[in-house]
Amino acid sequence: RAPNLPSFWAAVSMHQIPCFNIVYADRGNNIFYLYNTKTGIRVSPSANSDQNPNDPTLTQDWRVPVNADLSAMAWREVIPQANLPSILNPPSGYIQSCGNPPWTVTEPSPLDPSFWPQWLIADQNTYRAARVRQLLNTGKRSFRDHQSMLFDVLVPAALDMVPAIVNAAETRKDRVSDAHPDFWKGIDVLRNWNYIAE
């Protein structure tokens, strides 16, 4: 029910949505992105120059469960939403969010990844997000163009994976000498594929 960006931000600042990135647009030509999460502040190893090199927060892989016995891993107060990564009206004129990190939602990004601690953002850039940015970076597009983007059938992962598979098969024939008789037919299909999934 928010009629403008300030009232939308006031509603979002109630912090009632514990996750899910937020993308906003309004009739005043504002676009806004928030890396939205409701999580606690943790001890930052860079905050103390005299830290023990054996401190687990220095080597913790934040993508796996954290040891609950270590007080350094405990949450402190919840991070205010104003301190989360956000972008308002980027020069590119677009924002996209496909589960990718906040510094890849537009190009060029105004966000510096080193500004936020590793424990806060573990999202990886995705092929889907890269393809959307590629399409959006082609310049001004009509409404019809944007509709067609929804049904884009190029397989972005194939752009990297297919050449690697074909190259591996051709350069390491010793590893595929006992492959199924249809193996090379499959390689030919991949070699001649235009990366379109129709």
Side-chain angles (χ1 to χ4, degrees):
R1 294 193 296 267
N4 52 42
L5 184 55
S7 57
F8 179 81
W9 177 251
V12 169
S13 296
M14 294 168 65
H15 222 163
Q16 296 302 298
I17 304 173
C19 60
F20 302 119
N21 300 335
I22 294 172
V23 175
Y24 166 96
D26 65 26
R27 70 178 79 187
N29 293 326
N30 293 301
I31 56 174
F32 171 73
Y33 165 86
L34 174 67
Y35 184 82
N36 183 57
T37 183
K38 192 168 188 176
T39 189
I41 298 171
R42 296 180 186 273
V43 170
S44 175
S46 61
N48 301 320
S49 57
D50 59 343
Q51 280 222 334
N52 177 351
N54 297 322
D55 185 335
T57 61
L58 292 170
T59 57
Q60 173 64 38
D61 181 354
W62 296 100
R63 296 167 296 176
V64 298
V66 174
N67 187 339
D69 295 334
L70 299 172
S71 62
M73 302 295 186
W75 281 21
R76 304 311 192 257
E77 56 275 3
V78 172
I79 300 172
Q81 280 185 298
N83 293 357
L84 295 172
S86 64
I87 298 173
L88 175 63
N89 297 328
S92 65
Y94 77 83
I95 290 171
Q96 60 79 38
S97 180
C98 303
N100 45 304
W103 35 87
T104 64
V105 300
T106 193
E107 291 179 351
S109 177
L111 302 177
D112 178 358
S114 66
F115 186 78
W116 285 275
Q118 288 184 332
W119 50 260
L120 179 60
I121 300 163
D123 309 76
Q124 300 296 308
N125 197 15
T126 63
Y127 283 108
R128 179 179 170 213
R131 175 62 175 163
V132 171
R133 287 193 307 274
Q134 180 186 36
L135 292 170
L136 290 169
N137 279 330
T138 58
K140 195 169 183 179
R141 301 171 67 94
S142 69
F143 180 71
R144 180 74 66 181
D145 291 334
H146 281 90
Q147 285 180 308
S148 69
M149 286 172 54
L150 291 173
F151 302 102
D152 180 57
V153 290
L154 184 126
V155 181
L159 298 171
D160 290 337
M161 294 181 190
V162 169
I165 292 168
V166 171
N167 182 58
E170 291 173 344
T171 59
R172 296 303 311 264
K173 292 187 178 178
D174 57 310
R175 294 198 173 187
V176 295
S177 59
D178 295 333
H180 189 277
D182 290 340
F183 176 81
W184 288 106
K185 290 179 183 176
I187 292 296
D188 284 338
V189 168
L190 289 176
R191 188 183 290 114
N192 297 311
W193 184 30
N194 62 1
Y195 309 128
I196 301 295
E198 294 177 314

